[in-house]
Amino acid sequence: MVIAVGNTLRIGLESIVDDSYDIVFGENLFPQIAEDLAKVRLGSKYAIITDSNVNRLYGAALKSALESAGLQADIFPFEAGEQSKNAVVFLGLMKSMRELDYGRDSAIIALGGGVVGDMAGLIAAIYLRGIPYIQVPTTTLAQADSSIGGKTAVDTEDAKNSIGAFKQPARVYIDVATLVSLKELDNRGYVSGFAEAVKHGIIRDPVFFAYLQKNAKLVLECDPETMLYVAKQNCRIKGTVVEQDPKEKGLRQILNYGHTIGHAVETLSGYRRLHGDCVSMGMMVSGNISAKLEGLSEQELEQQKELLQLLGLPIWIPPEISNESIIQVTLKDKKARGGAARYALLKHLGEMHDFAGKYTTPVDNAIVIAALNATRMQH
Ligand code: GLY
């Protein structure tokens, strides 16, 4: 109800939003996706947004599964790689959707890894002021992290994910069978995504951390049962955080453990280094800072390092990236406040510091530099 008080009109827009959605786990899920969409009729037609690599593998199969269920779909591919996650590619995709008359009654299917999911999600958030989308993540990273929780974005040259929105997907389908081809074609990319799984264990769940320690070999071999278990644990851990703080006002910031430095390294590499690899290095730096400031024990820091190494993740900051440049880029990080970068830090393995409800803290440059130096390979 519009209320008038003096020379002010108040537009009353209080609302309770239900953004709940299901995450479906399994193998070879395309027929189920088509069947479900035929039932729920999320859109009158479906824009499958995907990258060139995933399109070669799965684009036609998903389109034909949808068509067999009587649904109309088109594929909107773009060049694979984080370098494509920018405003130019993003606008180009929307222009192509306009050309094929995708209207407000259409929906998007994000088929691919983190770049696809983030960019397709952002299109869903703003295309014709918003249309629904589902996530079909095909990489370890997207299945562990980016397809869950509704963060969508594109990068700018100076900072990762600097333009974005929160837009929860209508549903997520985690098909672990897609990981087999990823492992075969791009083992580095396959391994890199496990950084987010290690992060979930470290920040929230020592039992899952121990599971990863014990089952690292099966994880690296892409054993289907193990991958299903890992995917479910990732989504459970992340889901419990996102449920409490969907817009990252507080608690959700613990999911950024390792990301302040990780994003800086990724940005400074011109987005050539993989996100998971950079998060792995960033967790080593944040672990060192946590040991210095928050009492994380040397033994716990060593456990983190050993698990990252066991899973084949990098633990050293690349020599060509200087401490000074990293510090500079962290100032542009989304978490920075009042010109100071902020860090999510560990108290113990499985428990993050809450910093009186702020969940991140600024850290003196001297301490960050000491932690960066401790994360450089000694010759
Ligand atoms: N990747 C961290 C988050 O979704 O909050």
Side-chain angles (χ1 to χ4, degrees):
M1 188 181 32
V2 176
I3 300 171
V5 180
N7 65 355
T8 305
L9 277 186
R10 179 167 183 78
I11 311 292
L13 286 174
E14 255 179 43
S15 66
I16 297 171
V17 179
D18 185 358
D19 274 336
S20 312
Y21 57 91
D22 292 334
I23 306 172
V24 180
F25 301 86
E27 289 177 74
N28 305 311
L29 292 176
F30 291 177
Q32 184 182 343
I33 296 172
E35 209 178 289
D36 290 352
L37 290 178
K39 272 193 215 130
V40 299
R41 293 268 162 203
L42 198 63
S44 65
K45 55 181 183 171
Y46 296 88
I48 302 172
I49 296 183
T50 190
D51 73 24
S52 46
N53 292 340
V54 179
N55 188 27
R56 261 194 301 279
L57 291 168
Y58 303 119
L62 180 57
K63 184 171 188 287
S64 114
L66 295 171
E67 285 169 352
S68 302
L71 305 172
Q72 195 187 329
D74 297 284
I75 301 176
F76 296 87
F78 63 87
E79 189 60 36
E82 184 79 28
Q83 285 107 326
S84 288
K85 203 175 123 183
N86 62 50
V88 175
V89 176
F90 169 72
L91 289 174
L93 287 165
M94 288 193 284
K95 186 163 177 271
S96 306
M97 285 173 63
R98 294 295 297 148
E99 280 160 7
L100 290 189
D101 290 328
Y102 272 74
R104 265 202 168 161
D105 56 350
S106 55
I108 289 174
I109 302 179
L111 172 68
V115 172
V116 168
D118 283 9
M119 197 148 59
L122 186 56
I123 293 174
I126 67 166
Y127 185 73
L128 300 175
R129 300 218 169 89
I131 59 175
Y133 78 118
I134 66 167
Q135 289 271 17
V136 185
T138 60
T139 63
T140 44
L141 185 105
Q143 294 190 356
D145 181 35
S146 58
S147 69
I148 312 299
K151 276 190 182 176
T152 74
V154 292
D155 305 329
T156 48
E157 266 171 37
D158 64 340
K160 175 143 169 117
N161 293 337
S162 44
I163 300 173
F166 287 101
K167 167 85 175 171
Q168 300 295 342
R171 194 170 277 197
V172 182
Y173 290 90
I174 296 198
D175 185 338
V176 296
T178 61
L179 300 179
V180 177
S181 354
L182 172 67
K183 180 173 154 39
E184 272 168 20
L185 297 172
D186 175 16
N187 192 55
R188 192 63 251 142
Y190 174 77
V191 165
S192 172
F194 296 127
E196 299 286 1
V198 174
K199 179 193 81 180
H200 287 145
I202 290 172
I203 65 169
R204 256 331 233 196
D205 197 328
V207 175
F208 183 49
F209 186 89
Y211 176 90
L212 292 172
Q213 285 175 315
K214 190 155 168 246
N215 294 282
K217 189 165 173 287
L218 290 171
V219 167
L220 290 172
E221 284 167 0
C222 198
D223 170 66
E225 227 174 276
T226 309
M227 299 320 285
L228 273 172
Y229 179 81
V230 167
K232 282 185 194 161
Q233 295 311 307
N234 280 320
C235 293
R236 178 185 58 77
I237 295 167
K238 179 164 181 177
T240 58
V241 174
V242 171
E243 270 182 351
Q244 293 172 67
D245 180 21
K247 296 260 170 87
E248 199 172 288
K249 301 224 182 297
L251 176 70
R252 185 168 178 169
Q253 294 181 83
I254 67 171
L255 297 174
N256 295 327
Y257 178 65
H259 283 59
T260 306
I261 295 294
H263 279 171
V265 172
E266 198 179 348
T267 305
L268 286 162
S269 77
Y271 301 114
R272 272 178 285 276
R273 287 194 183 262
L274 299 173
H275 176 71
D277 287 1
C278 297
V279 168
S280 176
M281 300 168 205
M283 288 194 288
M284 287 307 301
V285 179
S286 294
N288 270 290
I289 298 174
S290 304
K292 173 90 185 154
L293 295 181
E294 305 305 333
L296 183 74
S297 72
E298 286 302 322
Q299 191 202 353
E300 288 168 306
L301 188 56
E302 193 57 29
Q303 277 179 286
Q304 169 183 275
K305 180 172 155 196
E306 277 172 13
L307 181 54
L308 292 171
Q309 284 185 302
L310 197 59
L311 289 168
L313 288 155
I315 52 160
W316 308 118
I317 300 283
E320 71 276 12
I321 299 185
S322 70
N323 291 348
E324 294 68 30
S325 61
I326 292 173
I327 299 277
Q328 278 307 313
V329 175
T330 59
L331 304 181
K332 298 240 177 194
D333 188 85
K334 290 188 301 308
K335 293 176 290 303
R337 296 285 177 272
R342 298 185 72 91
Y343 293 80
L345 297 177
L346 272 172
K347 262 163 94 165
H348 301 292
L349 205 157
E351 193 189 350
M352 293 294 280
H353 206 301
D354 72 0
F355 295 108
K358 292 198 163 62
Y359 294 95
T360 55
T361 184
V363 176
D364 278 353
N365 277 354
I367 291 174
V368 178
I369 287 171
L372 284 165
N373 287 337
T375 315
R376 299 237 179 230
M377 196 183 299
Q378 309 298 318
H379 294 286

